Amino acid sequence: MAPSPNFHGNWGRLGVGLEDWMAEYTSLEKIRLQKLEELRAAGIEAYPTRARRSHLSVEAIAEFEAKEKEGGEVRVILAGRIRAMRAMGKISFAHIEDGAGKVQLFFRTNELGKERLDLFNRLFDIGDFIEAEGVMFRTKSGEVTLHVHDFKLLAKSISPLPAAKDETLPDGTVVRHAALEDPELRARQRYADLAVNPEVRETFRKRAAIVRALREFLDSRGFLEVETPILQPLYGGAAARPFVTHHNELDQDMYLRISFELYLKRLLVGNLERVYEIGRDFRNEGVSFKHNPEFTQLEFYWAYADYLQVMELTEQMVSYVAQSVLGTYKIRFKEHEIDLTPPWRRLEMRQGILETSGIDFAQHPTAESLFQAIREKHPRLTPDPKATRGKLIDFLLSEFLEPTLIQPTFLYNYPRDISPLAKSIPGDPLTVERFEGYVAGFELCNAFTELNDPLDQEQRFLEMGRDYAADDEEKHPMDEDYLRAMRYGMPPNGGFGMGVDRLTMLLLDKHSIREVLLFPALRKEE
RNA sequence: GGGCGCGUAGCUCAACGGCAGAGCAGUGGCCUUUUAAGCCAUUGGUUCAGAGUUCGAAUCUCUGCGCGCUCACCA
């Protein structure tokens, strides 16, 4: 099908001839481009500049239902996207969807005349945006519907959206047929996914509500929201590989931050006593159902508090968010019923690992001894022989304890050598005041009483440097400016970090981080 | 990065060594209260890409690409 001489489509942008234009579009798209031409030939603007709308779909329906008994007329202008069309001779039905929901449109030759109805049936498609003016009424089968007296195209759709159809079964459940389901397509073309899967839009509305609730909670407790650099001359605050980039004018390599920690704690030095940030972290590591290279993190730092106070604030905050977004403390995640009502269970890490693995790591003060114990007790397991004591403990944690932590649990008191920014427990140099919150078997948050002794901190950086000497990429760089800040004096404080994506997964019962990210990282196409 | 699996029409999926199909969407027709509207007719394919085995490949083998699951990595 060749474009006619008065074709208005922009195939000049290809800078090529007719043949390439033909290859650029699918047969369905070519048909729609022809319709576009016909519309324009008929003097109809396919992309008008302005639209009118008096009501959202739900408002129009509600207003009609309120006035239905006394028979008052409800005249409205609705605007939305065509999701279904049913032409039947001299009448037609369609459903449009707007920001609030769907509403049915009813077209009749009586009001519109044959030509206008034919125009609608022939040249309008699923996916087009339209504006429709008329009077609300109820059809024979009971659906509140707009009786259209006039309509107008607002934007023509060239590429066909998946024409998903909702079937309502006798028991009321809705089955969607031919919905866009391919996970790759849904993620790559999130715009199409959002357009045809309303529950995806709902997921992201709820995500926004979760972030809003976190802010409300912290704001109301005197925390100041701040923004610290994403582009940093030096990365730190976590053990992760960074993304490296380059500033041309400064001729200097820069890193995308892997955490906010060191900058937020600088603010405590500056007498900002309660600070938090919600923003993006970047970690140049593997991608999985719970890892995306960029992810949203919440961190707060609270002067004069310790990790026990942070624990209390955490359970209050998470339950507040659940209550405010879902209206309940009881959530479902996969097959689990989870109760977020505070207080949460508190379990000392040593105790938890002893109970689930039969190994008391306190009896094994060196990596060698702990490694031997694991090999003897669990011969089929193969921990890394080069692992530090802390990493072996972490291994036991994820192997034995983590899967059992379904109901919200604070696991506390961590080995010092995997926690270089946390403060030791008085009288116990091997253990730090740190906890992680676990729900549904995965780590939700991580917090500790922050190390505020600049000399100890310098020592820890040096130790980390040694531990990672063999692996440059994971080496924890010495942040001299951070130490300089600490030397001015940092108040004792409790700090906290939580993955907002993971919290969203938990609260919304989504089992992949991609379901809660609008545009997850994907390999480039082709 | 390793292992396993998947990739067929715009969407959802069949065909599993022997003519590449269905439903929806699309196109033409009938139909003035339908709603997965219905009925009649009909269009649409580089079976992800490339190579190989075979008389014959969507199907078997290899390579590549992409995605999913899983393991590793990830305080």
Side-chain angles (χ1 to χ4, degrees):
Chain A
M1 179 192 311
S4 69
N6 63 342
F7 173 67
H8 292 68
N10 183 11
W11 47 288
R13 80 184 162 86
L14 299 171
V16 291
L18 192 54
E19 215 167 281
D20 291 301
W21 180 83
M22 297 284 280
E24 183 80 356
Y25 295 101
T26 67
S27 58
L28 296 180
E29 288 167 336
K30 286 173 193 166
I31 289 166
R32 292 201 183 187
L33 287 166
Q34 284 294 332
K35 291 180 179 182
L36 192 57
E37 261 190 281
E38 282 192 53
L39 285 163
R40 285 175 166 162
I44 293 166
E45 174 51 64
Y47 301 95
T49 306
R50 275 169 247 293
R52 296 179 305 157
R53 170 154 76 179
S54 70
H55 291 65
L56 286 169
S57 54
V58 289
E59 293 168 345
I61 291 166
E63 200 170 308
F64 173 78
E65 284 177 335
K67 289 191 186 165
E68 196 170 12
K69 278 189 184 136
E70 64 251 39
E73 185 183 86
V74 179
R75 176 167 283 272
V76 298
I77 307 171
L78 302 179
R81 180 173 229 160
I82 300 175
R83 292 298 310 281
M85 294 174 76
R86 294 179 293 281
M88 31 188 309
K90 296 186 178 61
I91 61 169
S92 285
F93 293 89
H95 272 93
I96 61 166
E97 187 168 32
D98 62 21
K102 282 189 198 172
V103 64
Q104 182 168 251
L105 306 184
F106 174 59
F107 300 76
R108 210 166 59 157
T109 51
N110 305 40
E111 291 79 30
L112 299 166
K114 185 177 185 313
E115 275 190 25
R116 291 278 287 161
L117 187 65
D118 282 351
L119 177 92
F120 178 75
N121 288 336
R122 244 172 36 75
L123 299 183
F124 283 50
D125 288 291
I126 291 170
D128 291 354
F129 288 90
I130 68 165
E131 170 189 302
E133 181 170 8
V135 176
M136 301 302 293
F137 79 113
R138 192 180 286 277
T139 63
K140 276 181 187 166
S141 49
E143 181 164 347
V144 178
T145 299
L146 176 65
H147 190 150
V148 177
H149 292 188
D150 196 13
F151 65 91
K152 179 181 161 189
L153 182 62
L154 293 181
K156 185 70 191 155
S157 155
I158 304 299
S159 302
L161 285 172
K165 288 193 175 185
D166 288 341
E167 177 184 14
T168 308
L169 298 174
D171 67 4
T173 53
V174 175
V175 182
R176 186 161 317 137
H177 299 271
L180 180 62
E181 281 175 350
D182 178 59
E184 181 179 354
L185 247 180
R186 287 185 50 225
R188 278 195 198 284
Q189 302 190 27
R190 186 66 87 193
Y191 33 87
D193 184 32
L194 288 162
V196 300
N197 291 323
E199 69 282 1
V200 177
R201 297 197 290 267
E202 192 52 30
T203 295
F204 290 101
R205 287 199 186 95
K206 283 190 175 145
R207 183 184 167 122
I210 288 168
V211 173
R212 206 178 307 129
L214 289 168
R215 286 204 164 95
E216 279 165 13
F217 182 88
L218 290 167
D219 289 344
S220 73
R221 279 161 182 76
F223 284 84
L224 179 72
E225 181 170 11
V226 298
E227 292 172 282
T228 62
I230 291 173
L231 212 50
Q232 303 181 347
L234 208 60
Y235 59 96
R241 280 189 288 256
F243 285 93
V244 186
T245 184
H246 188 78
H247 189 292
N248 290 338
E249 198 58 31
L250 298 178
D251 189 23
Q252 172 190 315
D253 281 341
M254 307 279 284
Y255 302 95
L256 300 185
R257 67 180 171 193
I258 57 172
S259 85
F260 321 155
E261 172 148 5
L262 299 182
Y263 278 94
L264 290 177
K265 287 199 294 200
R266 282 170 168 91
L267 300 178
L268 298 189
V269 170
N271 288 16
L272 292 174
E273 297 186 346
R274 298 179 189 190
V275 294
Y276 77 97
E277 180 165 4
I278 294 176
R280 216 68 68 81
D281 268 345
F282 305 84
R283 296 188 181 175
N284 205 342
E285 280 161 4
V287 175
S288 79
F289 74 95
K290 55 180 178 177
H291 296 90
N292 196 64
E294 55 179 304
F295 61 98
T296 300
Q297 180 87 348
L298 161 67
E299 290 189 27
F300 70 72
Y301 293 84
W302 181 10
Y304 312 112
D306 66 8
Y307 76 144
L308 296 173
Q309 287 161 282
V310 172
M311 248 183 234
E312 278 181 42
L313 197 69
T314 301
E315 63 198 9
Q316 283 166 21
M317 179 168 70
V318 173
S319 56
Y320 170 83
V321 171
Q323 185 63 247
S324 119
V325 176
L326 305 173
T328 174
Y329 291 142
K330 294 193 170 59
I331 60 166
R332 160 163 288 280
F333 190 83
K334 293 184 177 171
E335 69 276 20
H336 308 300
E337 294 280 356
I338 292 166
D339 187 352
L340 297 172
T341 311
W344 294 359
R345 177 186 178 212
R346 284 152 167 71
L347 177 63
E348 192 176 12
M349 190 191 202
R350 174 186 166 192
Q351 191 62 30
I353 287 180
L354 175 59
E355 281 168 12
T356 51
S357 74
I359 294 172
D360 182 1
F361 63 71
Q363 305 291 321
H364 303 281
T366 65
E368 294 70 33
S369 150
L370 184 55
F371 181 81
Q372 281 310 318
I374 295 171
R375 294 292 299 159
E376 278 164 30
K377 196 95 188 176
H378 304 283
R380 61 179 180 84
L381 292 183
T382 53
D384 178 3
K386 297 191 298 291
T388 63
R389 178 170 179 273
K391 290 219 165 188
L392 288 172
I393 291 172
D394 204 44
F395 173 81
L396 289 172
L397 166 65
S398 49
E399 197 72 27
F400 294 99
L401 183 52
E402 206 173 278
T404 72
L405 303 177
I406 303 302
Q407 295 302 320
T409 303
F410 290 122
L411 204 59
Y412 65 97
N413 292 357
Y414 275 62
R416 179 178 181 272
D417 68 293
I418 55 169
S419 314
L421 299 160
K423 204 166 191 171
S424 296
I425 290 179
D428 183 353
L430 284 182
T431 312
V432 293
E433 293 199 351
R434 171 178 171 191
F435 74 83
E436 291 186 334
Y438 282 85
V439 187
F442 68 82
E443 178 197 332
L444 181 65
C445 58
N446 178 22
F448 28 90
T449 305
E450 302 290 337
L451 182 56
N452 65 338
D453 173 345
L455 304 179
D456 190 356
Q457 185 67 72
E458 185 168 9
Q459 201 55 40
R460 303 280 196 100
F461 279 147
L462 290 170
E463 283 170 26
M464 288 305 281
R466 272 202 299 281
D467 287 344
Y468 287 93
D471 184 0
D472 267 352
E473 285 183 312
E474 277 197 29
K475 194 168 169 183
H476 210 89
M478 172 83 75
D479 191 332
E480 294 289 358
D481 178 69
Y482 177 65
L483 291 172
R484 176 168 65 188
M486 283 185 88
R487 286 195 291 267
Y488 281 113
M490 180 187 291
N493 69 92
F496 172 89
M498 176 171 68
V500 173
D501 313 287
R502 294 213 187 152
L503 177 67
T504 304
M505 286 169 66
L506 177 72
L507 294 181
L508 303 185
D509 196 15
K510 298 295 178 195
H511 309 149
S512 164
I513 197 169
R514 291 189 171 184
E515 291 292 317
V516 299
L517 294 171
L518 279 168
F519 299 103
L522 294 168
R523 279 201 173 76
K524 73 176 181 215
E525 287 180 88
E526 290 159 343

